[in-house]
Amino acid sequence: MEHTRITIIDSHTEGEPTRVVVDGAPDLGGGSAADRLERLRREHDNFRSCVVNEPRGHDAMVGTLVGEPLSSESAAQLIFFNNVGYLGMCVHGTIGATVTLAHLGRLQLGRHRFETPVGDVAVELHTGGAVSVENVRSYRLIENVSVATSHHGTVKGDVAYGGNWFFLVNEPEQVVSSRRLTDLTAFAVDVRQALRRSGIRGDEGAEVDHVEIFGLPERDGADSKNFVLCPGNAYDRSPCGTGTAAKIACLAADGKLAEGQTWHQESIIGSQFEGSYRVVPDGNGVIPTLTGRAWITAEATLLVGREDPLSMGIAS
Ligand code: PYC
């Protein structure tokens, strides 16, 4: 049987999986990461599904394409995708891609720049394997707005941007525990549907497609524990870097976290990102830096059989 081959390296960043495509991606031509993402979406969406969806992947898998950068000062372009579509930015995926490129001998310790569809980010690969990501500008757009959900009454929260759009739940308080994954998922899906119905959106009409819930930390030294619902209904096993960036933007706007102070965000599985921020000179938002660790879990070749009726994956 004839197969198309796609070479991948899998890793997890604080529990959340990243699958970097090393070889076998479609030719997306030149241009910015945003241009090339649009070409992938328009012309090769089945490639996305083939790489991350079952039977080769699963709902929590985030895929990453590494491409030629526009600027000679950047190490690469990164394009992120999941079980249902594309992400503007992905911090855990950037950490996973950094560790993967280092594993391949393509990146050394120190500071590097990546181009993403929503702007450039800088990474620092530290001795010992931790990676810090200086993210895109992050900010709160709407403070403490109420939405009427179908099954959980009125829910209040902030709409904020950290490279993706988040609704950060303020009320009602939830017990954030891995024993409550089913209930937390149902609550967050209900909230996201209510946001859609109410027409609450991010800038330029962007869908608020991630919902973030906070509770008491269990880990020593952590400031908060979160549950993050991703667009395709998987929950983030890591504390979600862009979600932590959105949280930090809200804390900064509320005067609850000073510039340079460290925020320790525990994830639903007990892993952690550390984050801090610097203010943007024009005062509009903050530049958060998030630090976490990734581990390589597999080097593999995906085989895509020409006669396999599910060769392009099972759509989520
Ligand atoms: O770490 O930014 C992140 C992320 C976004 C979606 C899943 N992880």
Side-chain angles (χ1 to χ4, degrees):
M1 200 205 232
E2 272 200 75
H3 292 105
T4 301
R5 288 166 184 267
I6 303 169
T7 314
I8 51 137
I9 295 188
D10 282 355
S11 60
H12 77 85
T13 303
E14 306 296 353
E16 180 73 350
T18 305
R19 174 164 286 176
V20 173
V21 177
V22 176
D23 195 27
D27 179 2
L28 299 175
S32 68
D35 294 338
R36 297 172 84 235
L37 183 155
E38 278 317 312
R39 203 160 303 137
L40 181 63
R41 190 200 305 269
R42 261 196 337 265
E43 297 170 20
H44 304 283
D45 192 53
N46 54 5
F47 177 82
R48 171 193 63 75
S49 172
C50 164
V51 169
V52 293
N53 280 337
E54 291 183 28
R56 294 175 197 81
H58 55 83
D59 279 357
M61 183 65 83
V62 171
T64 306
L65 289 190
V66 180
E68 277 301 308
L70 277 183
S71 161
S72 59
E73 286 177 15
S74 304
Q77 272 182 9
L78 300 178
I79 295 173
F80 307 103
F81 47 96
N82 61 20
N83 56 338
V84 291
Y86 300 86
L87 290 162
M89 170 55 195
C90 181
V91 170
H92 97 263
T94 302
I95 295 173
T98 302
V99 167
T100 297
L101 292 172
H103 174 76
L104 290 169
R106 294 193 200 164
L107 215 60
Q108 311 306 315
L109 291 178
R111 200 170 160 89
H112 308 277
R113 199 169 82 168
F114 289 122
E115 297 167 8
T116 83
V118 293
D120 292 358
V121 298
V123 300
E124 176 98 29
L125 174 57
H126 304 280
T127 318
V131 178
S132 297
V133 180
E134 191 181 88
N135 195 24
V136 294
R137 185 171 74 88
S138 303
Y139 55 99
R140 177 162 68 190
L141 182 69
I142 310 175
E143 185 181 350
N144 215 30
V145 64
S146 295
V147 283
T149 67
S150 301
H151 307 290
H152 298 86
T154 299
V155 174
K156 287 186 180 180
D158 295 345
V159 174
Y161 181 75
N164 298 296
W165 284 99
F166 290 83
F167 186 78
L168 297 91
V169 174
N170 295 334
E171 283 175 42
E173 246 173 61
Q174 297 287 315
V175 175
V176 174
S177 155
S178 55
R179 288 182 298 279
R180 296 197 65 237
L181 283 173
T182 307
D183 288 348
L184 290 167
T185 300
F187 174 79
V189 167
D190 197 20
V191 169
R192 195 176 51 207
Q193 283 167 351
L195 289 166
R196 270 188 207 138
R197 268 199 313 275
S198 321
I200 294 172
R201 304 190 80 86
D203 281 334
E204 291 160 23
E207 184 179 0
V208 180
D209 54 4
H210 293 73
V211 175
E212 193 166 1
I213 304 165
F214 300 91
L216 293 178
E218 289 178 89
R219 194 182 158 118
D220 271 359
D223 295 298
S224 156
K225 183 174 176 112
N226 71 6
F227 168 91
V228 181
L229 182 78
C230 295
N233 290 349
Y235 68 92
D236 197 328
R237 277 70 172 157
S238 83
C240 190
T242 49
T244 302
K247 173 70 176 172
I248 285 174
C250 293
L251 289 165
D254 287 334
K256 292 183 176 163
L257 189 73
E259 184 172 19
Q261 195 183 338
T262 302
W263 180 257
H264 304 86
Q265 185 63 61
E266 181 181 348
S267 76
I268 189 69
I269 66 159
S271 58
Q272 181 172 276
F273 281 155
E274 286 183 13
S276 60
Y277 73 88
R278 64 180 169 83
V279 293
V280 181
D282 69 8
N284 278 328
V286 297
I287 304 285
T289 295
L290 297 313
T291 302
R293 295 175 59 112
W295 286 265
I296 303 293
T297 54
E299 293 177 325
T301 303
L302 304 180
L303 298 182
V304 186
R306 303 248 162 90
E307 285 146 41
D308 176 354
L310 296 176
S311 65
M312 290 305 140
I314 304 169
S316 289

